[in-house]
Amino acid sequence: MKKAQGFSRQLLIDAIWQAFYKMNPKVQLRNPVMFLVWVGCALTTMLLLDRLYVGDTEVFYELQIIIWLWFTVFFANFAEAVAEGRGKAQANALRGTRGQTPAKRWENGDWKAVDAASLRKGDVIYVEAGDTIPSDGEILEGMATVDESAITGESAPVIRESGGDRSSVTGGTRILSDWLKVKVSVNPGETFLDRMISLVEGAKRGKTPNEIALTILLIGLTIIFLAVVVTLQPFALYAKTSLSLTTLVALLVCLIPTTIGGLLSAIGIAGMDRLLQRNVLAMSGRAIEAAGDVNVLLLDKTGTITLGNRMATQFLPAPGVKEEELADAAQLASLADETPEGRSIVVLAKERFNLRERDLTGLSAEFVPFTAQTRMSGVNVQGREIRKGAVQAMVDHIRVCGGKWPAEVVKTAEAIANKGGTPLVVADDKKVLGVVYLKDVVKGGIRERFQELRRMGIKTVMITGDNQLTAAAIAAEAGVDDFLAEATPEDKLALIRSYQQQGMLVAMTGDGTNDAPALAQADVGVAMNSGTQAAKEAGNMVDMDSNPTKLIEVVEIGKQLLMTRGSLTTFSIANDVAKYFAIIPALFMGTYPTLGELNIMGLATPQSAVLSAVIFNALIIIALIPLALRGVAYRPEGAAAVLRRNLLLYGGGGLVVPFLGIKVIDCILSLLGVA
């Protein structure tokens, strides 16, 4: 997927216009805190216009207050508009990809050219080299290379074929070679591309449970401060002074949590945007939040924890055989073997003994390919029959040849299997030369990643179809907390349910139809884009890169979203507390001189104190927009450590920054003589 630009000139211009549009009270009503600010702005503006109508010219102070109150609403709208604008930039790029695509639909025994918009679920279409796939579907026949760069951003083409876990195709991708017969799986407007456009635009981004809970908290705090401000007027009248409605509204806006209220929506939109930048499509904001609260990660072994290809790591010769002799024979038998295992044997022989590839044409070499029946491969050269294969297959081969099977080789093969490896026996005619140790290599750095997750309180569980011994060996090497061996789809589903019954949130990845029940049951189910349609429909996220390791990044993004929301909420509430103790003493020190002792900032006048606080309140929103969009720095720490850092940095900072900011603004206003 094409990435959104940072803060381009056009994006900022569009965001400004959107900020004005969002002044609509129907739009503001979606955010109760900012709607109250909007109501205060509208009320004070009407009162100002009334005073100007009757000829009152002493309104400069109120005019400044009202302007900055409107700026507060505008900046909150601007923050949301910037976040939405980045998503809309991605949506526009995707719309260009979709375009008007023709299609060939099977009708009345023949292929008929139709527009893609007329396709319905269940239709059968034909696509060939050069065609753009018009809709999502499942491959019925054929195999082809497909360019998915418009969706995934990955330039390398991928193979799509009928049957298996790579039978799904996505509308908007392009056929590079061969042909496919595809059954359409969605109706118009429901394609993967349509959903992406809708989601990145934010059109379907509803409030998540955490957002709703936080909104309720903010409303509660707003009501409390509203009650505080309302009671100030009776106290003022009792003290034979008065506070204007404009001043009271300004005080209310400064005390209620406008900072987090103005940034809350932008934080959620930016969280989804960060996920999209990693080529993961979340079907809802709820899924991202759930990722941040995950307790258990279920990870497939192959391709996630390990590289997925068994690699030769050791030559273990039989008694009386030199290691170089074993390496030479193994290399000869692997020269025509294009599998990753075969290529790794050639590489290992070159690295260990500098054995180079040889010209076997002149030697009249005859290569024996691997078959499922023989489970062996090899080469016939210069009267020698060199074979390599699985242990039992080689046992049968040696028996037929009339050779002997060394007991030491049996022990070596068993030891390799117990370590989680695969033994590959090599024989020259009827002589057993030894064993090649094939190992499913654990990915570099994966153990450290699991340690980070453990510090965050997240349990990692490896899922594999291997036997118990092999699974245990790889689990120990990778550093996972637990494993499930010889796993079936039913086993995965039962495991997820057992963790959920313990009150845990579970995340997992999958790509096949057999993974669909588990993906649907998991709290966070990440389906691979290369997988089946059933898997993608069952999951609540789709990884367009089809990288199972991405699940760890998804959890980190979810954690960062929750950390950002918590940090800015802490900062906002601390701001309100600081502004309360900064403004109130200055506001009443004329009536109650003793309150002057609490005016620790030495604010010039009550009017300057209020105006400085209003200006600071507006500017701090705009200052925090980059942090809201970028997110706070993610660190793999436990909840207690995150809370301590949050309180110290954002709680303490939220108390100190208003005092400094308001004082600086007060000094500027005094120098300018405007308050």
Side-chain angles (χ1 to χ4, degrees):
M1 184 192 294
K2 295 179 182 179
K3 307 296 190 289
Q5 300 297 317
F7 295 98
S8 66
R9 183 171 177 270
Q10 188 59 47
L11 186 149
L12 295 176
I13 292 173
D14 293 342
I16 290 172
W17 285 112
Q18 280 297 310
F20 281 113
Y21 168 76
K22 291 176 180 290
M23 290 290 185
N24 187 326
K26 292 182 179 180
V27 178
Q28 291 295 311
L29 194 57
R30 297 198 299 250
N31 189 334
V33 175
M34 297 313 300
F35 178 70
L36 182 62
V37 179
W38 185 93
V39 170
C41 291
L43 182 60
T44 53
T45 301
M46 288 189 291
L47 290 174
L48 178 68
L49 293 174
D50 181 69
R51 289 180 62 183
L52 291 173
Y53 179 77
V54 299
D56 189 349
T57 58
E58 300 295 325
V59 295
F60 185 58
Y61 164 70
E62 284 82 0
L63 178 62
Q64 294 179 85
I65 293 287
I66 292 168
I67 290 173
W68 282 103
L69 289 178
W70 281 115
F71 269 131
T72 303
V73 179
F74 176 83
F75 289 155
N77 293 342
F78 180 76
E80 184 178 39
V82 169
E84 291 176 346
R86 300 170 78 180
K88 288 178 179 178
Q90 291 179 325
N92 291 333
L94 291 169
R95 281 197 181 92
T97 299
R98 180 174 62 183
Q100 295 295 320
T101 307
K104 292 185 281 289
R105 181 170 61 195
W106 184 257
E107 291 184 13
N108 302 320
D110 199 5
W111 298 108
K112 183 181 179 182
V114 298
D115 190 83
S118 66
L119 296 176
R120 296 293 185 272
K121 186 176 181 179
D123 287 347
V124 177
I125 59 175
Y126 177 82
V127 286
E128 58 188 341
D131 290 349
T132 297
I133 299 174
S135 185
D136 299 354
E138 287 285 333
I139 300 172
L140 299 177
E141 296 180 25
M143 181 175 69
T145 53
V146 182
D147 177 10
E148 298 183 345
S149 58
I151 305 295
T152 67
E154 178 56 54
S155 59
V158 296
I159 302 294
R160 292 284 179 264
E161 59 185 332
S162 60
D165 295 338
R166 294 184 176 270
S167 61
S168 173
V169 291
T170 305
T173 58
R174 190 165 61 91
I175 301 287
L176 297 180
S177 70
D178 303 292
W179 59 272
L180 298 171
K181 186 188 285 187
V182 179
K183 183 179 181 180
V184 177
S185 57
V186 295
N187 290 315
E190 299 174 357
T191 67
F192 189 73
L193 197 59
D194 288 320
R195 285 186 290 167
M196 285 176 64
I197 292 171
S198 178
L199 287 164
V200 299
E201 282 187 319
K204 292 186 178 180
R205 201 196 79 85
K207 285 191 175 183
T208 63
N210 279 352
E211 278 186 283
I212 294 171
L214 184 54
T215 300
I216 293 171
L217 171 63
L218 298 181
I219 292 172
L221 292 173
T222 300
I223 293 172
I224 291 172
F225 281 115
L226 180 61
V228 170
V229 172
V230 168
T231 59
L232 287 178
Q233 186 69 333
F235 282 110
L237 293 173
Y238 178 79
K240 295 183 171 54
T241 188
S242 69
L243 297 173
S244 68
L245 182 61
T246 301
T247 298
L248 290 173
V249 170
L251 185 61
L252 175 64
V253 171
C254 290
L255 297 183
I256 64 176
T258 51
T259 305
I260 184 62
L263 296 172
L264 187 58
S265 180
I267 293 169
I269 296 171
M272 185 169 286
D273 183 62
R274 283 195 295 276
L275 200 65
L276 283 165
Q277 289 175 13
R278 288 165 174 81
N279 270 356
V280 179
L281 175 66
M283 301 307 172
S284 68
R286 184 190 299 264
I288 305 176
E289 280 191 353
D293 288 325
V294 158
N295 308 108
V296 180
L297 285 186
L298 302 186
L299 301 159
D300 281 329
K301 181 199 74 160
T302 306
T304 305
I305 295 173
T306 65
L307 293 174
N309 296 322
R310 295 173 299 176
M311 310 294 288
T313 58
Q314 255 183 303
F315 295 115
L316 301 170
V321 179
K322 294 181 178 179
E323 186 179 348
E324 186 173 355
E325 182 184 354
L326 169 62
D328 181 72
Q331 188 205 48
L332 281 171
S334 303
L335 289 177
D337 188 349
E338 293 300 322
T339 65
E341 294 90 342
R343 289 195 296 269
S344 72
I345 291 173
V346 174
V347 171
L348 183 63
K350 180 180 178 181
E351 290 177 347
R352 294 291 302 276
F353 302 103
N354 199 30
L355 295 175
R356 305 280 177 175
E357 292 188 20
R358 283 152 282 187
D359 181 15
L360 297 178
T361 306
L363 300 176
S364 300
E366 178 189 358
F367 289 101
V368 180
F370 175 87
T371 66
Q373 289 75 30
T374 64
R375 299 179 67 195
M376 293 187 303
S377 64
V379 62
N380 298 331
V381 58
Q382 295 182 328
R384 299 167 63 191
E385 292 185 2
I386 302 172
R387 298 289 185 271
K388 61 179 175 65
V391 175
Q392 190 56 50
M394 293 301 295
V395 168
D396 296 338
H397 173 73
I398 295 297
R399 186 182 298 115
V400 171
C401 294
K404 294 183 179 179
W405 189 267
E408 290 80 358
V409 173
V410 175
K411 293 179 181 178
T412 301
E414 290 177 350
I416 292 173
N418 291 337
K419 293 178 182 178
T422 300
L424 199 65
V425 178
V426 180
D428 189 346
D429 293 323
K430 61 182 181 181
K431 180 182 180 182
V432 178
L433 300 179
V435 182
V436 180
Y437 185 177
L438 297 180
K439 185 178 180 183
D440 196 356
V441 180
V442 174
K443 288 183 177 179
I446 197 73
R447 188 180 185 90
E448 289 73 21
R449 297 291 295 275
F450 289 152
Q451 289 174 347
E452 291 178 359
L453 292 170
R454 195 173 296 111
R455 287 198 296 271
M456 294 161 57
I458 297 174
K459 181 178 182 178
T460 53
V461 182
M462 183 186 76
I463 308 294
T464 178
D466 290 338
N467 60 58
Q468 290 285 341
L469 289 174
T470 301
I474 294 177
E477 184 178 356
V480 296
D481 298 309
D482 201 357
F483 66 90
L484 177 66
E486 301 174 357
T488 65
E490 293 77 17
D491 293 334
K492 293 181 185 180
L493 191 60
L495 184 64
I496 293 171
R497 286 172 174 169
S498 69
Y499 281 122
Q500 290 174 332
Q501 288 170 1
Q502 300 173 40
M504 298 180 179
L505 295 183
V506 182
M508 71 161 289
T509 61
D511 59 1
T513 301
N514 60 352
D515 291 323
L519 286 170
Q521 181 66 38
D523 300 283
V524 178
V526 183
M528 302 294 102
N529 188 44
S530 62
T532 62
Q533 192 68 28
K536 288 192 280 189
E537 289 177 356
N540 48 23
M541 293 187 187
V542 177
D543 176 22
M544 289 173 283
D545 294 331
S546 301
N547 177 10
T549 313
K550 194 75 71 67
L551 180 60
I552 299 174
E553 294 183 44
V554 169
V555 171
E556 292 174 352
I557 292 170
K559 291 281 185 187
Q560 188 184 33
L561 171 63
L562 297 180
M563 289 165 61
T564 302
R565 190 179 292 152
S567 298
L568 292 185
T569 299
T570 303
F571 183 87
S572 178
I573 294 174
N575 255 258
D576 298 335
V577 173
K579 285 181 286 189
Y580 183 87
F581 287 102
I583 299 170
I584 298 298
L587 200 60
F588 286 98
M589 65 183 179
T591 306
Y592 301 103
T594 53
L595 287 177
E597 298 294 327
L598 298 178
N599 185 23
I600 58 177
M601 290 190 293
L603 300 179
T605 64
Q607 291 81 8
S608 177
V610 174
L611 184 57
S612 299
V614 171
I615 294 173
F616 173 83
N617 194 68
L619 294 179
I620 198 66
I621 294 176
I622 206 76
L624 290 174
I625 289 177
L627 180 61
L629 298 182
R630 184 181 64 252
V632 301
Y634 167 79
R635 296 181 184 176
E637 300 173 327
V642 172
L643 180 60
R644 284 195 301 270
R645 186 162 55 88
N646 184 35
L647 291 174
L648 179 63
L649 183 60
Y650 294 96
L655 289 172
V656 173
V657 170
F659 283 97
L660 297 175
I662 292 173
K663 179 59 181 177
V664 170
I665 296 171
D666 178 75
C667 292
I668 294 173
L669 294 177
S670 298
L671 288 172
L672 296 176
V674 296

